[in-house]
Amino acid sequence: MYPSKTRFSMRVTGLVLLLALLLSSVAVAAPEPQRPSITAASAIVMDYDTGEVLYEKDADTMRVPASMTKVMTAYIIFEELEAGRLTLDTTVPISAANAQKSRDGRNYPASVPLTAGSKVSVDTLLKLILIPSASASCIVMAEYISGSESAFVQRMNETAKRLGMTAAYENSHGAHVHYLTARSQAILVRAFIDRFPRILNYTSLTGVTFNGKWYPNTNKLLPGLDYAYEGADGFKTGTISAAGYCLSATAVKNGRRIISVVMKSSNDRTRHTDSTALLDYGFAMLEYQSPYDDVAYHWCREDVADLKELGVELHAEGDSFRPDEAVTRAEFTAMLYTALEQSGTLPPEPALPEEPAEEDETAVPEPVQPLFYDTNGHWAQDYIEKATRLDLITDTDGYFYPNRLITRQEMMVILDRCLDLPDENGLGFADDGDIALWALEAAARTSAAGLFQGGSGNALRPLSTSTRAEAAAVLNRVTAML
């Protein structure tokens, strides 16, 4: 007897649903993001944390930056603030010549009128430079800092060279023609945020009031403006006829920052839509290139990716690396052993004892005992025992404590045993006194080699347990020096 049509349809539907459920459980690799179609003549997008260039288009051609020049002017002002030669409350006198330039919109565009004989604070001048892009305010600060704009421009070019930029500045404001590359502008923005993160307090402002007039920010990617981009908090536009429309921008998503630059766009709309496309692509590439789902926007992404590509045992759980979990002794040992193994730098195995001339064929072989009482059947047993036989770690009381969390000073001692480090002293941290005597020499050598660095308040934190992310960063530094 054949099933009815209704029952047959129900069975087919059930099979289809079952197949769909099975297929949905299969992990499918995400496709590589499609490269953006950028209309600007030059463009670049950079990962702030690593400096990795995620996309570029003619990024090394010298082009006119227009008012993006003001980023370098502001950078030098911040250097003066850092050195204590200026404060934000320092008042700067406005000369008659600069007051006239501030009203000369033809030769010094983006004019914000200043009053001759008045004094304006550095804080206010920074806002005028970075938000409505006031050109004369740049000259005011240049002359105050260096005595003349030409001397200030010389410092701009010296600073650019020090930062690794390709630039030829000829003025402090960009209202007149000079040249740099899109890559150089991205390098400058990255260096600025890294050294002086307080700059974002200025570049994120949507406008400023001066002498009773409201001046909007020309970067319209900021919240509430025409081309608002989620997470955008700066940076700087530039527009003159020789430059077209330029924009350097930055945004943060899930704790990761991207920097973009476009130069010589055809209009204000396209410089913003190009920048949006670049930022979207940059964040998409972070996710696509991520070795694990939970490090796509984590600071350890590149370290973990490098170790995974090398073939290091990272003890991941599927698509999860768990970067902020504390690392165990077993995990660190497995990571270290395989990092040395894949780098071809494992020490030679000790020579085996000579076999007796004659063997008693009737003797019953003794069972092989694990090196440690508490590692038998552990996922890392093989790595732990191999590392012990190579004297990378020591056998003390017959217990390894594989699931115990490892401290930074324990990691220092283990690495000092593995590596032939120069006998140098890299200490000088605020908490050097916390280092145990048995770890002191190892801490001195490993910190001198740059394997361990101080954190907040220049603290080494030798007694603190390390996260899996920190362990990955340390071991990636190890593989880089092998």
Side-chain angles (χ1 to χ4, degrees), residues 343-366:
S343 300
T345 55
L346 281 173
E349 294 188 17
L352 297 174
E354 295 185 5
E355 296 183 359
E358 295 183 4
E359 294 185 4
D360 184 358
E361 295 182 358
T362 62
V364 178
E366 296 183 3

Side-chain angles (χ1 to χ4, degrees), residues 63-132:
R63 298 194 185 278
V64 180
S67 286
M68 290 200 307
T69 298
K70 294 177 173 71
V71 175
M72 177 59 82
T73 297
Y75 184 86
I76 293 175
I77 294 172
F78 269 79
E79 285 189 326
E80 293 294 293
L81 291 168
E82 181 185 61
R85 291 186 287 268
L86 289 177
T87 71
L88 291 174
D89 295 326
T90 300
T91 55
V92 182
I94 307 301
S95 68
N98 286 333
Q100 183 178 0
K101 290 174 183 176
S102 73
R103 291 169 170 80
D104 184 357
R106 180 176 180 180
N107 294 306
Y108 299 93
S111 57
V112 176
L114 303 170
T115 303
S118 67
K119 290 186 176 182
V120 182
S121 72
V122 170
D123 179 63
T124 297
L125 287 168
L126 271 170
K127 290 173 181 175
L128 297 181
I129 289 168
L130 292 166
I131 298 171

Side-chain angles (χ1 to χ4, degrees), residues 471-482:
V474 168
L475 289 176
N476 201 29
R477 294 179 198 132
V478 168
T479 60
M481 65 183 292
L482 295 177

Side-chain angles (χ1 to χ4, degrees), residues 325-346:
E325 287 186 9
V327 66
T328 66
R329 287 169 53 83
E331 289 172 329
F332 183 74
T333 301
M335 291 168 71
L336 172 62
Y337 180 86
T338 53
L340 297 176
E341 181 182 44
Q342 296 302 320
S343 300
T345 55
L346 281 173

Side-chain angles (χ1 to χ4, degrees), residues 271-291:
R271 72 172 163 190
H272 285 94
T273 55
D274 277 350
S275 297
T276 294
L278 288 171
L279 293 170
D280 281 345
Y281 180 77
F283 288 122
M285 283 300 292
L286 289 186
E287 295 179 3
Y288 173 73
Q289 293 178 351
S290 176

Side-chain angles (χ1 to χ4, degrees), residues 257-318:
R257 179 175 295 280
I258 291 292
I259 295 166
S260 68
V261 178
V262 296
M263 300 186 74
K264 208 171 179 60
S265 287
S266 58
N267 56 60
D268 183 55
R269 183 185 66 82
T270 56
R271 72 172 163 190
H272 285 94
T273 55
D274 277 350
S275 297
T276 294
L278 288 171
L279 293 170
D280 281 345
Y281 180 77
F283 288 122
M285 283 300 292
L286 289 186
E287 295 179 3
Y288 173 73
Q289 293 178 351
S290 176
Y292 299 101
D293 290 345
D294 56 356
V295 300
Y297 296 100
H298 199 282
W299 62 264
C300 74
R301 178 179 72 97
E302 290 301 310
D303 293 312
V304 175
D306 289 346
L307 294 179
K308 184 179 182 182
E309 184 177 359
L310 185 62
V312 173
E313 171 56 69
L314 298 174
H315 195 222
E317 294 179 353

